[in-house]
Amino acid sequence: MLPMHGYQGFRTAPPPSGWVQLRDIWVLWWSGRQIAQVSPAKERGVRVHLDARKMWQTKDVWAASVDQGKRYAERWCAARLYPEMRLRAAVARMVDGSPGEPLPPLPGLPPTPEQLQQARRLAEAGAKELERVKEALEPIRPPSATKPRAKDPQKTRVRAALRDLRRGV
C-alpha cells in the first residue's frame, strides 16, 4: 500500500500553472489546482466560475468577453490567495506560467542489468541510425574521373560510310 502523504501518483508532466485553454474554455491553474474557469455562455457573454480557497468562497459572475472575464478572475483570485501582497504583484505571481521549482525525483529502484543493457543498445542503434541519415542527407558529388568509353567497331564503319556518302564518293 502506498503512503498517502506525499504520494504524487504517476507523474508524466509537470502540473499546469497559469492560464490553460481547453477547446473554448480557459482555466486558471495555481499550485496544481483549478481556481478559475472562463467559459462561453448561451445567454450573454461568458461565465466566470471562481473557486480560490475554500468551498464556500466560490462565485459565479458574467463578463462581456473572455479577456474581461480573465482579468476579473485574476484579480479576484489574487486578492484571496495573496492578501499580504499588492494586487498587481499578486496577479503577476499567480499567473506566471513557469513552475516555481522542479519536483524532486520519485523514489525508485536502481536500474537492472537488463535495463542498462537495453539502454546501451538503444543508444548504439540511435547513433548508427543518425550516421545513416547524415550520409543520406549529404549532397551528391559528381564522380571524380570518368573512364573513356570503349569504341564500338561497328559504329566507326557506319560513320566512315556516312562520311563517304556526303563527299560523294
Side-chain angles (χ1 to χ4, degrees), residues 123-138:
E124 290 171 359
K128 288 178 185 175
E129 191 67 20
L130 186 63
E131 288 299 319
R132 192 178 69 79
V133 168
K134 282 183 181 178
E135 287 176 11
L137 291 177
E138 286 181 2

Side-chain angles (χ1 to χ4, degrees), residues 140-146:
I140 299 174
R141 296 186 184 112
S144 58
T146 57

Side-chain angles (χ1 to χ4, degrees), residues 109-164:
L109 299 173
T112 63
E114 291 84 12
Q115 290 171 331
L116 292 172
Q117 182 182 19
Q118 183 182 17
R120 188 177 63 248
R121 286 182 179 170
L122 282 172
E124 290 171 359
K128 288 178 185 175
E129 191 67 20
L130 186 63
E131 288 299 319
R132 192 178 69 79
V133 168
K134 282 183 181 178
E135 287 176 11
L137 291 177
E138 286 181 2
I140 299 174
R141 296 186 184 112
S144 58
T146 57
K147 293 192 286 184
R149 289 186 178 181
K151 297 194 177 188
D152 187 11
Q154 184 70 25
K155 285 184 179 178
T156 53
R157 276 202 319 256
V158 170
R159 279 194 195 115
L162 285 173
R163 203 173 29 237
D164 291 344

Side-chain angles (χ1 to χ4, degrees), residues 13-22 26-36 70 74 81-82 91-103:
S17 62
W19 285 105
V20 177
Q21 185 176 12
L22 308 167
W26 284 91
V27 179
L28 178 59
W29 289 85
W30 173 80
S31 190
R33 65 188 190 108
Q34 179 179 330
I35 59 173
K70 286 169 67 175
E74 289 169 358
L81 296 173
Y82 300 108
V91 168
R93 182 174 177 184
M94 183 184 63
V95 177
D96 184 26
S98 62
E101 58 187 46
L103 296 170

Side-chain angles (χ1 to χ4, degrees), residues 38-145:
V38 179
S39 58
K42 291 181 184 175
E43 303 87 36
R44 54 183 175 181
V46 294
R47 177 180 168 266
V48 182
H49 178 76
L50 304 162
D51 184 11
R53 288 178 89 180
K54 300 181 176 80
M55 190 187 316
W56 60 86
Q57 286 186 327
T58 62
K59 184 176 182 179
D60 284 312
V61 295
W62 301 94
S65 67
V66 172
D67 290 333
Q68 182 186 10
K70 286 169 67 175
R71 281 193 305 271
Y72 183 82
E74 289 169 358
R75 292 185 178 119
W76 191 87
C77 294
R80 279 148 188 82
L81 296 173
Y82 300 108
E84 71 283 351
M85 293 178 70
R86 297 180 64 91
L87 186 60
R88 187 173 292 199
V91 168
R93 182 174 177 184
M94 183 184 63
V95 177
D96 184 26
S98 62
E101 58 187 46
L103 296 170
L106 290 174
L109 299 173
T112 63
E114 291 84 12
Q115 290 171 331
L116 292 172
Q117 182 182 19
Q118 183 182 17
R120 188 177 63 248
R121 286 182 179 170
L122 282 172
E124 290 171 359
K128 288 178 185 175
E129 191 67 20
L130 186 63
E131 288 299 319
R132 192 178 69 79
V133 168
K134 282 183 181 178
E135 287 176 11
L137 291 177
E138 286 181 2
I140 299 174
R141 296 186 184 112
S144 58

